[in-house]
Amino acid sequence: MDTMTWMDVALQKANDSLKVGEVPVGCLFVYNNKLIALGNNTVNETRNATRHAEINCIDQVLEFCKVNNLDYKKVFPDIDVIVTVEPCIMCTSALYQLQVRNITYGCANDRFGGCTTVLEIPKIYNSETKIISGVKGDIAMILLKEFYKGTNPNAPESKVKKEHKPKKCPNIESI
């Protein structure tokens, strides 16, 4: 399959995530033109802030290597990552450390993007990993906007202090 078709698969996974109240990010890892990992964010489900789509896919690849008696250090450099949203700083760093071949993403991640938007992780690592951006990014952005229109039922209660009026001390005069 080509990149556009793979991105369609990732977008469907992102859409599935939206339906269950997760941030709509879909990700897949392709090895030798075969899908070996398909993931989405499970942060709300697991209540674990590190369970991003890319990290979930990395875990699947490690299991794939174990089951197929393959050395993950030889598999990851032949993996193409397709993800609907620019990987965050944490995920981009992990992908670069694993030396994946390509990272193709849809829309930019203006808050946490690690490929170029917030922090340029590629400048930190000596890697051959190539980045391709903007693949069906408009559709990925629509899904994100749809998610952020609503409220996240699993978000922790806000700790922002409400407006506080200072109490007057009886023995202190104001100038």
Side-chain angles (χ1 to χ4, degrees), residues 1 6-7 9-11 13 25-40 51-65 68 75-76 78-84 95 98 100:
M1 285 201 272
W6 286 123
M7 185 59 81
V9 174
L11 285 163
K13 191 67 172 169
V25 177
C27 181
L28 49 97
F29 284 24
V30 177
Y31 175 67
N32 291 334
N33 209 33
K34 291 182 182 169
L35 179 66
I36 63 167
L38 176 62
N40 60 292
R51 298 317 305 172
H52 292 190
E54 299 90 338
I55 301 300
N56 289 332
C57 283
I58 288 169
D59 286 349
Q60 290 175 38
V61 171
L62 292 173
E63 185 61 27
F64 170 84
C65 290
N68 292 288
V75 171
F76 276 106
D78 288 328
I79 285 181
D80 297 315
V81 175
I82 295 92
V83 59
T84 58
L95 295 171
L98 293 166
V100 298

Side-chain angles (χ1 to χ4, degrees), residues 73-135:
K73 291 177 182 177
K74 292 180 180 172
V75 171
F76 276 106
D78 288 328
I79 285 181
D80 297 315
V81 175
I82 295 92
V83 59
T84 58
V85 179
E86 177 185 5
C88 71
I89 294 164
M90 172 187 72
C91 291
T92 303
S93 184
L95 295 171
Y96 265 80
Q97 287 178 48
L98 293 166
Q99 300 179 352
V100 298
R101 181 171 45 203
N102 297 310
I103 301 170
T104 300
Y105 66 87
C107 65
N109 182 341
D110 293 337
R111 295 175 75 193
F112 308 108
C115 292
T116 60
T117 307
V118 175
L119 182 66
E120 291 187 59
I121 294 294
K123 288 184 175 178
I124 297 170
Y125 292 96
N126 182 18
S127 171
E128 299 295 315
T129 301
K130 292 181 186 136
I131 295 176
I132 302 154
S133 63
V135 178

